[in-house]
Amino acid sequence: MPEPLKLMYNAQFFEQLCPVLTEVIPGFKERAFIHRVFDNRWPDLELKQRTTSITVALRQFMPSEFPCAAEKIVEVSRILRLKEKVQSYPFIFLPEYIELYGQADFDVAMDAIEEVTKLVSAEFAIRPFILAYPRQTMKQMILWSKHPDASVRRLASEGCRPRLPWASRLHDFKNDPAPILPILENLKNDPSEYVRRSVANNLNDIAKDHPDLVLKTVAKWKGKNPDTQWIIKHGCRTLLKNGNETALQLHGFETTSNSRITDFAADKNITVGSYLNFNFTFSSDEKKKAFFRLEYAIHYVTATGKVALKVFKIGEYWVEPTKLLAIKRRQSFVDLTTRKHFKGKHRLAIIVNGTEKASCNFQVK
């Protein structure tokens, strides 16, 4: 099992950080800072709590006025960016500092976020500003969507995602995503894959609440640029998984799903920590070569005994009428930090172009 992410804040990390803080902050006391961070609560803190603990400890050594402190935060981030082999995510406490202590100084905070996000994404830090200053912040983010730095452009999209994971929901944007659309328009042909992936994820967020708006948007974008085509496909992934007929048609899939699953077989009994093996043969009943999206769904038993559905993509295939496509897969039931498995009766389903074509039950012991 991978090591918990919270352990990234180790002695090696602070050996890298503290010389930079000493260089930038007059009178910085490394030992006192370390003692504030590693207090008696530290062993019980999870990742987010540890990040905030560093942020709060750092404030004790910073100028009390936020504009002065922001200058130091920006200088620290610039020095760290110049260092080789720097992993950016552990420095998430730098944008968090701006989030916690800069909300009364909007212009200064925006300038600082613009610089710090080049080291570590400020997608979480920007959201309280969207809530407190929605018009001003979105105006700034439209400007960022045209910024020469890809990290800043990505922030323009990622920061306003309505359903950004591990972040507070932007309920106003869930209800009305119109303020987001000009940003996505500016970024739909972005040369950076890093930025394009964020645009696609933002579209996918919006599609969960406003599928027709996303379908209208991507229909307008379709065929204009190869990079935009990838955004369209990835941004419609939830609609495709849900078998949305318009989305399927937009991407060239046969919505009638004239096909068949034969020789379907799967393990009947497995244990937590092992794998579910299954296989089947797919064939098309169309009279011409047709495009099919194959997926499988696991109906997982949860800790409370309820069922949680998770859909996994197998692939997309052009299939001739006489062709037999043999599919063999296995699904891990090894526990991860992000997913635990529980005993009980589960269900496996094979999905073709959004339509369930075969299924079976299996037991996890």
Side-chain angles (χ1 to χ4, degrees), residues 260-265 279-283 294 323-327:
R260 66 181 66 198
I261 301 293
T262 54
D263 304 321
F264 178 39
N279 58 269
F280 61 90
T281 300
F282 175 80
S283 59
L294 303 187
K323 182 178 181 181
L324 296 178
L325 189 64
I327 301 293

Side-chain angles (χ1 to χ4, degrees), residues 55-101:
T55 307
V56 172
L58 182 60
R59 189 168 191 250
Q60 308 302 313
F61 302 90
M62 296 287 272
S64 57
E65 296 295 323
F66 178 74
C68 296
E71 290 180 3
K72 304 301 181 186
I73 292 292
V74 168
E75 190 174 352
V76 167
S77 72
R78 285 174 174 165
I79 292 172
L80 290 171
R81 279 169 53 208
L82 293 174
K83 290 183 175 294
E84 295 183 3
K85 299 180 181 179
V86 168
Q87 293 183 347
S88 61
Y89 182 78
F91 301 106
I92 194 72
F93 61 88
L94 294 174
E96 186 182 66
Y97 192 102
I98 302 167
E99 172 189 347
L100 293 182
Y101 306 119

Side-chain angles (χ1 to χ4, degrees), residues 257-294:
S257 193
N258 289 328
S259 60
R260 66 181 66 198
I261 301 293
T262 54
D263 304 321
F264 178 39
D267 294 333
K268 300 298 182 184
N269 297 283
I270 64 170
T271 58
V272 174
S274 66
Y275 291 82
L276 172 71
N277 297 282
F278 64 95
N279 58 269
F280 61 90
T281 300
F282 175 80
S283 59
S284 170
D285 288 339
E286 297 287 340
K287 295 181 180 180
K288 60 181 184 343
K289 186 177 182 180
F291 196 32
F292 293 95
R293 177 185 175 95
L294 303 187

